[in-house]
Amino acid sequence: MADPIHLREFFRIPFPHTLSATVRSLLDRLPTDCALCLARSQGGRPCEGCLSDLLQGLPDRRCPVCALGLPPNTACPDCALLQPAFARVISALEYKPPVDQLILQFKNAGRFQHARFMAEILASAVRLEAPELLDEITIVLPVPSGRLALRRRGFNPAAEIARQLAGRLCLRYWPIVAHRRHDGISQKTLNRHARAKFQANRYACRHRLSGETVAVVDDVLTTGATLHAVANELMQAGAKSVVGLVVARTPYQRKN
Ligand SMILES: [Zn+2]
Ligand SMILES: [Zn+2]
């Protein structure tokens, strides 16, 4: 039988977020290949061995706000700089091998099936670490993709995860709350100060909110500057609070 996950990937069909629980559970059990070692697996997940590798080395201590893994007796350098507009971040994994490999496959090779696993593992992290989000009026939205990145990839990776995450958690998916005002230069060459400054005013919220909690989804959180800029707009638009939900957080670096 043809695997609909691969057919969907081939035709680049976005995944609906309103799948019924029955359909989702059937798709979760479909035989698929592990993206990392090609062993047989199910539902687009890595095999058990690779899953255990992905979960290795999660930090013992994280910043309670931005989820940066911190050595003992160390203050969070990212929060000291940003004074974040977001309340907290939930991160399912650390952005290091082999997590980075999986995310790069997803973002740069259009491997849509990875969004299923990423939404699944993120949903588990939310249920464990922030179950209050499920009881509140929570809106789920992705960090918007820049126009150039969208043209290059043909899709917004954060939106793929956010849509499926909202479906799994039965929360409202509302992707048009924040969007990028303009594209600019790549942030990759900028240091943390320049990056924070660069991000200001890159996002806008065109809708008034009335005290909802907003969960902003992204694949990777690096310094928090992007999430801060999005959260700032959402708070000004009337959000009660903003929580970042990310698949992976970059590890602490002593001289970053
Ligand atoms: Zn594997
Ligand atoms: Zn922090």
Side-chain angles (χ1 to χ4, degrees):
M1 190 179 91
D3 181 341
I5 292 175
H6 289 108
L7 283 177
R8 191 174 59 79
E9 185 180 6
F10 180 77
F11 290 112
R12 297 207 156 204
I13 303 166
F15 222 97
H17 95 285
T18 50
L19 285 178
S20 75
T22 313
V23 173
R24 183 173 295 112
S25 114
L26 279 172
L27 289 174
D28 281 350
R29 280 178 284 163
L30 271 180
T32 51
D33 291 342
C34 170
L36 296 169
C37 73
L38 300 181
R40 291 306 282 167
S41 186
Q42 285 187 313
R45 293 180 202 89
C47 69
E48 278 185 28
C50 290
L51 185 58
S52 141
D53 290 346
L54 290 168
L55 295 169
Q56 285 289 317
L58 292 178
D60 293 332
R61 178 174 171 252
R62 283 191 187 274
C63 168
V65 178
C66 74
L68 181 67
L70 293 172
N73 305 315
T74 306
C76 177
D78 290 343
C79 288
L81 175 79
L82 274 179
Q83 298 179 323
F86 51 87
R88 64 183 293 206
V89 172
I90 307 294
S91 176
L93 303 168
E94 281 287 275
Y95 190 69
K96 58 186 184 183
V99 175
D100 56 351
Q101 195 185 332
L102 201 68
I103 289 178
L104 289 174
Q105 281 182 9
F106 172 54
K107 289 174 79 165
N108 297 338
R111 302 283 290 272
F112 286 118
Q113 79 269 32
H114 295 0
R116 290 180 56 72
F117 165 68
M118 290 174 187
E120 190 179 17
I121 200 163
L122 199 42
S124 300
V126 170
R127 289 191 190 102
L128 195 70
E129 296 181 45
E132 67 278 5
L133 290 181
L134 308 179
D135 299 329
E136 294 175 10
I137 301 169
T138 302
I139 295 165
V140 177
L141 63 95
V143 167
S145 218
R147 201 162 31 93
L148 298 177
L150 205 53
R151 197 180 300 156
R152 189 176 70 248
R153 293 195 181 105
F155 73 110
N156 175 4
E160 290 290 313
I161 301 165
R163 188 166 46 233
Q164 295 202 39
L165 180 70
R168 283 181 183 271
L169 297 177
C170 299
L171 297 175
R172 182 182 180 195
Y173 177 65
W174 194 15
I176 52 172
V177 172
H179 74 100
R180 194 168 290 210
R181 277 185 180 133
H182 56 81
D183 279 305
I185 57 172
S186 167
Q187 296 178 68
K188 285 176 187 160
T189 54
L190 303 177
N191 65 25
R192 67 169 61 241
H193 285 274
R195 203 166 164 136
K197 212 170 164 186
F198 175 75
Q199 282 292 349
N201 301 320
R202 290 198 80 201
Y203 302 94
C205 182
R206 287 182 168 172
H207 296 264
R208 281 303 302 167
L209 298 172
S210 43
E212 297 92 339
T213 299
V214 184
V216 180
V217 177
D218 209 352
D219 47 4
V220 180
L221 188 119
T222 307
T223 62
T226 298
L227 179 61
H228 169 70
V230 173
N232 207 26
E233 286 292 322
L234 289 163
M235 291 303 287
Q236 285 180 30
K240 179 179 151 198
S241 69
V242 176
V243 177
L245 305 180
V246 300
V247 175
R249 178 67 162 104
T250 51
Y252 177 85
Q253 290 178 316
R254 206 158 288 277
K255 290 183 183 175
N256 62 355

